[in-house]
């Protein structure tokens, strides 16, 4: 009589590892990454630039001039 073993066999470890690799890659690829833009001069309205729509942004002033 053959008994089925539900332990961690080499095949299960290999399958788990192979499934974990694309899962980690997908997690890293979908994480938001902040972009940094340095604005030289004044800020202008989006409508003045001819863009139709809305823009959400945050302005942080640093001590450098």
């Amino acid at each position: 009589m053959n008994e089925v073993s539900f332990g961690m066999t080499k095949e299960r470890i290999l399958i788990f590892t192979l499934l974990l690799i694309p899962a980690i890659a997908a997690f890293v690829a979908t994480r938001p990454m902040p972009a940094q833009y340095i604005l030289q001069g004044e800020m202008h309205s989006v409508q003045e630039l001819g863009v139709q729509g809305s823009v959400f942004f945050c302005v942080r002033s640093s001590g450098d001039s």
Side-chain angles (χ1 to χ4, degrees), residues 9-21:
T9 62
K10 291 180 183 179
E11 291 84 9
R12 289 183 187 263
I13 293 172
L14 179 64
I15 290 169
F16 179 74
T17 304
L18 290 176
L19 290 174
L20 193 61
I21 292 170

Side-chain angles (χ1 to χ4, degrees), residues 22-46:
I24 291 172
F27 174 75
V28 171
T30 57
R31 294 195 62 201
M33 292 185 286
Q36 179 180 2
Y37 301 98
I38 298 174
L39 177 67
Q40 301 293 329
E42 299 178 6
M43 293 181 64
H44 296 280
S45 171
V46 176

